Amino acid sequence: MNKHIIIRMELNFSPPLRLLNFLQQPPADTASYEGYESDVASLEPHFNLLRYFILPNLLNQTHQNFTCFIQYNWDIHPFLLKFFESFGRPPAHIKFIASRGGGMKGTLKNYIDASSFDEEDSLVFVKWDPHFVYGLNLIEYLQHFENLNGEKVILFDNGYLYNGTTNQIVKQTLPIFNGMVYLCTPKEHKRYFRVYEQFFLFDYSSFSQFPYITTQEVPYLFLRGEKDFKNLSTLNPVLNDQLSQFIKRV
Amino acid sequence: MKTRYIIYSRFNSDIGLSKQFHVSDSLSEKWIAYRLLIFNLYTRRSLEAQTNQDFLSVLNVHPDSMSIVEAELKKYPPLPPHIVFTSDKNQTIETYIRDADQLYLCNLDSDDMYHPSFVQFLHEHPTQKDKPLLLLKNGYILNTNTHVVNHYYSPSPPFFAEIFDVKDYLSYARFYPPLAHGYMERFNHETITQRLFMIILHDRNTWPNYRREVPKVFETNQILPDWQEVLKDYHLI
């Protein structure tokens, strides 16, 4: 029986409406668009999260045997292309998919069907909120995890909170509900899971009836406060040290 | 291979993904008394008339109303042991299927009827591995006030049978929240064309749109030429 770790993440930000309208019109002179620079700049914190936290967290996992699907709003497509031009495309196992024509659900269905997994293999779905990063041992932990008591859900209970506004990291005292891991087989996914997720959000409240386990083995960091996120070099050594368990510095 | 057959009815419990079928009054003595009257007149009749009695009927009761249900049931003849009102459906079902390999989990609203041949049909019907859901889309509808009966069709009715390996049911299916029956057609399914159910129209159906859906049964003239045979089939005359 093989285990397949599938990370699913959704970037739910869009350009401001007037920027969106501007992009959808025939090419126009940006000089005539008052506020163009500030509207484009409003997207920067989101891309900073991607550049400085999410992608490093994924790429520096001690185990890279996973597939990550990151769904983005089609409206940010031109900005995402610019982002890739500047910083390079991620490797093949981190896939950006647009939220149209089936989006995440259709892509996952096709991916699982096309992969010819054995119907009793283990699918490990990681529902990953883009404002969170995990310890670099996440994939390793999931690879070795055995649900000996029939657990279907893993919740993470060793949390920290980084406030980008105040530049502080504090311990979080509640188990995380925004991110969780769900375990199923391709057989269950085909028969049940993919139908349920067609029409409702699989959040924690939906999973509250499923047997679960909480773990302290993988820390997580909740990134709160849409600030710069990029001035990591100005952070104090204690903060740097705390962050290093989530992202390696290059 | 040992197979167990369960006919499950949500008497006044279960909140699904949408709350459309949650009836706000369903814990009251008045509601319970009325629904148990309908149950005994129609649904129980169809269960006891099954030509094959190899099944368990489970009616899920909200725990806060169990004492009312039990008191009300005492006004009727005792139920046979395989028709059970319970406030712990999981325990009841899991105990029943524990030694089995396969489970047929059928849905029946607690005011409707299956044809007396339904359970036997399940025993005999060859199933398809990639279609583990039987959707009964054709049946009858009876207006108990006018005694008019007509054909009834729905693309996703509350009459269906899910087929599980017991180990799959125990490992995941039992945890998924129940769905409104309108969603069932989204699952891989086989359509059953035989008319094996009867919807009972009474004074307080929870679905409010029957009058718009099937206006002719609200008139006085019979519609089907064989209406008497149909009612006899269901042991109603």
Side-chain angles (χ1 to χ4, degrees):
Chain A
M1 188 189 77
N2 294 314
K3 191 178 280 189
H4 311 281
I5 297 171
I6 298 171
I7 297 172
R8 39 190 303 167
M9 191 186 309
E10 293 184 26
L11 304 178
N12 286 323
F13 63 93
S14 292
L17 189 57
R18 65 180 180 181
L19 178 57
L20 192 59
N21 290 337
F22 175 80
L23 292 170
Q24 287 170 349
Q25 287 164 3
D29 182 6
T30 56
S32 67
Y33 176 174
E34 190 180 328
Y36 174 76
E37 296 292 338
S38 64
D39 283 351
V40 172
S42 70
L43 297 174
E44 202 176 326
H46 302 286
F47 282 105
N48 283 343
L49 263 181
L50 202 56
R51 179 185 171 196
Y52 293 106
F53 284 88
I54 296 169
L55 287 176
N57 192 236
L58 287 167
L59 293 168
N60 288 315
Q61 286 290 320
T62 55
H63 285 50
Q64 288 292 306
N65 50 337
F66 63 88
T67 306
C68 176
F69 294 91
I70 302 178
Q71 179 178 279
Y72 66 94
N73 193 320
W74 177 250
D75 296 335
I76 66 162
H77 184 71
F79 302 97
L80 189 65
L81 290 181
K82 283 208 174 75
F83 177 82
F84 290 148
E85 277 170 25
S86 301
F87 306 112
R89 278 195 168 265
H93 64 293
I94 298 175
K95 304 173 193 294
F96 282 77
I97 52 175
S99 62
R100 62 177 192 176
M104 173 75 78
K105 292 162 191 165
T107 303
L108 275 181
K109 174 184 176 294
N110 294 339
Y111 169 74
I112 291 169
D113 288 346
S115 298
S116 301
F117 297 139
D118 189 273
E119 69 172 23
E120 296 296 338
D121 277 355
S122 181
L123 298 179
V124 182
F125 286 107
V126 184
K127 185 174 180 290
W128 189 314
D129 185 308
H131 290 92
F132 288 78
V133 286
Y134 292 87
L136 299 177
N137 62 335
L138 170 68
I139 303 301
E140 182 180 0
Y141 170 81
L142 293 176
Q143 200 61 41
H144 292 128
F145 176 79
E146 291 185 33
N147 55 334
L148 299 172
N149 296 312
E151 298 94 346
K152 302 286 287 174
V153 171
I154 302 173
L155 300 173
F156 299 96
D157 200 12
N158 181 10
Y160 296 86
L161 195 148
Y162 172 50
N163 191 326
T165 306
T166 61
N167 217 17
Q168 284 184 310
I169 287 181
V170 296
K171 192 86 175 73
Q172 175 142 311
T173 54
L174 294 173
I176 184 177
F177 293 150
N178 284 355
M180 46 164 265
V181 173
Y182 184 72
L183 308 159
C184 72
T185 62
K187 185 179 176 188
E188 178 190 339
H189 184 266
K190 184 176 177 184
R191 173 162 183 177
Y192 248 46
F193 191 100
R194 67 173 59 166
V195 176
Y196 268 76
E197 72 170 351
Q198 278 177 11
F199 51 86
F200 84 105
L201 297 174
F202 250 96
D203 58 17
Y204 175 71
S205 61
S206 310
F207 283 103
S208 59
Q209 300 299 315
F210 290 81
Y212 69 92
I213 189 171
T214 56
T215 182
Q216 301 247 331
E217 288 192 45
V218 181
Y220 71 85
L221 178 66
F222 177 21
L223 301 160
R224 206 172 71 176
E226 284 191 26
K227 198 70 174 167
D228 215 337
F229 290 119
K230 70 179 180 185
N231 285 330
L232 301 177
S233 59
T234 65
L235 296 177
N236 63 57
V238 170
L239 207 56
N240 280 342
D241 199 45
Q242 284 177 307
L243 281 172
S244 67
Q245 63 183 319
F246 301 102
I247 47 173
K248 275 187 194 158
R249 296 303 179 79
V250 177
Chain B
M1 182 163 66
K2 186 168 184 180
T3 303
R4 290 292 202 188
Y5 301 84
I6 291 179
I7 299 176
Y8 174 74
S9 306
R10 186 189 69 253
F11 183 69
N12 65 349
S13 188
D14 279 348
I15 303 292
L17 296 178
S18 79
K19 298 193 176 181
Q20 292 169 0
F21 55 80
H22 175 61
V23 180
S24 57
D25 193 33
S26 60
L27 303 187
S28 71
E29 283 188 34
K30 191 175 167 186
W31 191 94
I32 290 169
Y34 178 76
R35 286 297 293 229
L36 281 177
L37 172 66
I38 300 296
F39 168 78
N40 276 279
L41 283 175
Y42 299 102
T43 315
R44 175 178 178 168
R45 189 185 301 228
S46 83
L47 294 171
E48 291 179 331
Q50 290 297 314
T51 54
N52 189 324
Q53 290 288 309
D54 179 24
F55 66 92
L56 178 71
S57 165
V58 177
L59 294 108
N60 198 27
V61 176
H62 194 289
D64 292 351
S65 67
M66 194 66 197
S67 57
I68 302 174
V69 169
E70 284 171 343
E72 199 59 34
L73 280 173
K74 286 187 175 136
K75 297 177 183 173
Y76 298 94
L79 290 165
H82 64 299
I83 299 177
V84 175
F85 281 78
T86 176
S87 58
D88 190 351
K89 70 164 191 193
N90 290 331
Q91 178 69 30
T92 305
I93 290 173
E94 284 153 34
T95 302
Y96 187 66
I97 67 175
R98 193 167 289 157
D99 62 343
D101 307 292
Q102 192 177 53
L103 164 66
Y104 280 63
L105 184 61
C106 312
N107 190 76
L108 176 66
D109 285 355
S110 62
D111 58 350
D112 290 329
M113 303 177 82
Y114 274 125
H115 189 274
S117 67
F118 173 67
V119 174
Q120 184 60 29
F121 169 84
L122 294 178
H123 278 257
E124 292 174 346
H125 184 75
T127 54
Q128 303 170 42
K129 186 172 185 279
D130 61 339
K131 293 184 180 176
L133 170 68
L134 308 178
L135 268 187
L136 283 66
K137 300 190 179 184
N138 290 297
Y140 295 98
I141 187 164
L142 168 68
N143 185 330
T144 57
N145 289 318
T146 62
H147 306 290
V148 173
V149 61
N150 199 2
H151 292 152
Y152 185 83
Y153 169 84
S154 168
S156 193
F159 303 94
F160 55 86
E162 294 183 273
I163 305 165
F164 295 101
D165 291 337
V166 167
K167 67 173 176 54
D168 289 342
Y169 177 79
L170 293 175
S171 72
Y172 69 81
R174 62 179 166 149
F175 301 118
Y176 281 77
L179 294 176
H181 62 82
Y183 295 117
M184 296 309 290
E185 64 170 338
R186 297 184 189 223
F187 294 92
N188 287 348
H189 65 271
E190 179 188 347
T191 298
I192 303 302
T193 54
Q194 293 93 318
R195 295 188 187 279
L196 292 174
F197 68 79
M198 182 173 286
I199 292 175
I200 300 298
L201 290 186
H202 50 85
D203 290 334
R204 296 180 216 168
N205 292 96
T206 51
W207 177 245
N209 298 332
Y210 282 121
R211 193 173 283 272
R212 193 176 67 229
E213 238 187 323
V214 284
K216 285 190 179 170
V217 298
F218 290 88
E219 297 166 11
T220 52
N221 295 326
Q222 287 292 348
I223 301 154
L224 302 178
D226 62 341
W227 66 274
Q228 285 180 312
E229 282 73 29
V230 171
L231 293 182
K232 271 188 198 153
D233 253 0
Y234 280 82
H235 296 222
L236 289 171
I237 55 173

